[in-house]
Structures are given as C-alpha cells and as structure tokens.
Amino acid sequence: EAGVVQSPRYKIIEKKQPVAFWCNPISGHNTLYWYRQNLGQGPELLIRYENEEAVDDSQLPKDRFSAERLKGVDSTLKIQPAELGDSAVYLCASSKRGGTSRDGELFFGEGSRLTVL
Amino acid sequence: LAKTTQPISMDSYEGQEVNITCSHNNIATNDYITWYQQFPSQGPRFIIQGYKTKVTNEVASLFIPADRKSSTLSLPRVSLSDTAVYYCLVGDKGGSYIPTFGRGTSLIVHP
C-alpha cells in the first residue's frame, strides 16, 4: 500500500514569492491534515479536512495561507506571499476512522522543506 | 495549558532499556494515549497506543497506571537506530480529535 505522498520535497524561494505544496493521502483515508514543523519543535496543526470539508483551520494564517482538498482526495497548501518566518517543514498526514485498536492513527508523508530567503 | 509534558531529551547506550515518561494530568475519560516516533527528515510514525494498564507490540511497551495521569513508553534493548524524537499525544479517538504534538523527547542512543 502506497503511503502519503508529498511534493516537492524541497523548495527554496525568495520572500514575497508564492509557493504550493501537494499531498496525496493514502487511498480510503477520509481525514487529511496539514502540519507545519519548525526546527526543534513538534508538528503544529494548520488545517484538518474531513473529506472535502475543512473542519479545523483555526491555526491557518488566512491572510497568506490557503488550502483546498478537491473531491476529498488530494490536497494543496499555498502560501502567497511567503515570508521569512514561513521557513519550515510542511507535513501532510492522513487517517481513517474505524473501530480498530489503532483508530485515528496518523500516517505522515516525508514533508516538504521550505526555505524562504 | 499543555496537555502533555515530557522530558526534552534523554541519552542512553546500545542494549539498554529506555523508559520515557509522559505526564497528562488532565486526561479525559475518553482519551487514549498514543506515541509517535520521528526520525530526521521524516514525518512522525505511530509506535503504540493504549487506554489503560499495559500494551505491548513488536516495537515497544506502554505502561499506564490506574489513574492514567501519566504513561511510560518502554523501548527494550535500544540500538543506534532508535535515536529519534518521541511524542506523546492524548485525545479522544472520536470525530473531534485533533492530534496535538508537543516538543517531544529527543532520545540519543550512544555506541
């Protein structure tokens, strides 16, 4: 079974430029998460989707960040314009709810490392 | 108010047993305890999950006392490849669960 796929793995841009990250979750997983991880810190949730619906986006800086999950499968996270402080690793995760002992287990992609110069 | 508290870092040596304790004084009745492991340049990976008493799998054991206000992840006979950051999460597995990560515990295993 293929895991969560993210692209690009690395991205270097200058400040004020736009950037987009793409995520393909595990097939059949209805919940998708975008996290941001700064160096030395744990992942911080940006947005969570249940199918196509964004059910928790309180931590998403909406002035410059946007996300979408069309058809409840792939998702894109966009930053426009990027700022120096946006340099971080952007992690996508998916999960499937159902009565197993590991219910709600998150499966993460390898992340997209963003460097803003 | 942080949901969990863990040591920032730990050191161990190959072959030793490592125990990482997580405090979660405000754990709710419906909350489960889940541990993740993260290697550099990778996303976190599920290790183990439990509700009470003891859970064991091929990777680790999880000990949860009766009051459930803490839990201990036990890694038997660690190797260099166990060097990673370990995160403890608590939450209800229901629809409203938002997996929240703290800073985790950075474990370094020495030769």
Side-chain angles (χ1 to χ4, degrees):
Chain A
E1 179 182 87
V4 175
V5 179
Q6 291 187 245
S7 68
R9 283 279 281 141
Y10 304 93
K11 188 73 175 180
I12 301 174
I13 61 172
E14 294 188 346
K15 63 181 180 181
K16 301 185 180 180
Q17 295 299 306
V19 64
F21 306 110
W22 173 80
C23 173
N24 179 236
I26 292 174
S27 178
H29 282 196
N30 54 330
T31 307
L32 184 145
Y33 309 78
W34 281 103
Y35 284 87
R36 176 172 60 188
Q37 186 170 28
N38 292 306
L39 189 64
Q41 304 294 317
E44 171 195 19
L45 181 69
L46 292 175
I47 190 168
R48 176 172 69 106
Y49 282 93
E50 292 289 346
N51 300 307
E52 304 91 353
E53 183 181 2
V55 296
D56 190 325
D57 62 354
S58 58
Q59 300 302 314
L60 189 72
K62 298 180 182 61
D63 57 336
R64 298 182 300 107
F65 286 64
S66 64
E68 61 181 8
R69 190 183 184 196
L70 300 177
K71 301 181 180 179
V73 182
D74 294 3
S75 179
T76 302
L77 177 69
K78 298 179 181 178
I79 308 174
Q80 182 171 9
E83 297 180 352
L84 296 177
D86 296 330
S87 294
V89 176
Y90 291 84
L91 292 162
C92 179
S94 67
S95 68
K96 179 178 181 180
R97 300 196 187 280
T100 71
S101 61
R102 291 165 62 145
D103 196 12
E105 174 183 351
L106 299 179
F107 293 82
F108 282 86
E110 291 187 305
S112 295
R113 180 178 296 276
L114 173 66
T115 300
V116 182
L117 303 176
Chain B
L1 182 64
K3 296 192 73 173
T4 63
T5 302
Q6 307 174 231
I8 294 296
S9 63
M10 294 182 68
D11 289 86
S12 184
Y13 293 88
E14 285 188 290
Q16 290 189 337
E17 178 184 74
V18 171
N19 296 307
I20 305 175
T21 297
C22 178
S23 297
H24 27 80
N25 292 319
N26 298 317
I27 190 168
T29 302
N30 294 330
D31 285 349
Y32 281 73
I33 301 156
T34 310
W35 286 79
Y36 285 82
Q37 174 190 56
Q38 185 177 25
F39 297 115
S41 300
Q42 295 185 25
R45 177 180 73 151
F46 176 100
I47 301 177
I48 198 165
Q49 183 180 78
Y51 183 79
K52 62 180 179 181
T53 62
K54 176 183 175 181
V55 180
T56 297
N57 62 22
E58 65 279 5
V59 176
S61 293
L62 180 59
F63 298 91
I64 306 168
D67 66 5
R68 303 201 325 120
K69 293 184 182 298
S70 67
S71 59
T72 299
L73 174 72
S74 181
L75 305 173
R77 297 179 297 282
V78 294
S79 64
L80 296 177
S81 63
D82 292 314
T83 293
V85 179
Y86 293 82
Y87 298 96
C88 164
L89 282 70
V90 297
D92 183 346
K93 294 194 295 183
S96 62
Y97 175 45
I98 300 176
T100 303
F101 291 80
R103 288 190 61 181
T105 298
S106 176
L107 171 67
I108 298 177
V109 179
H110 302 277

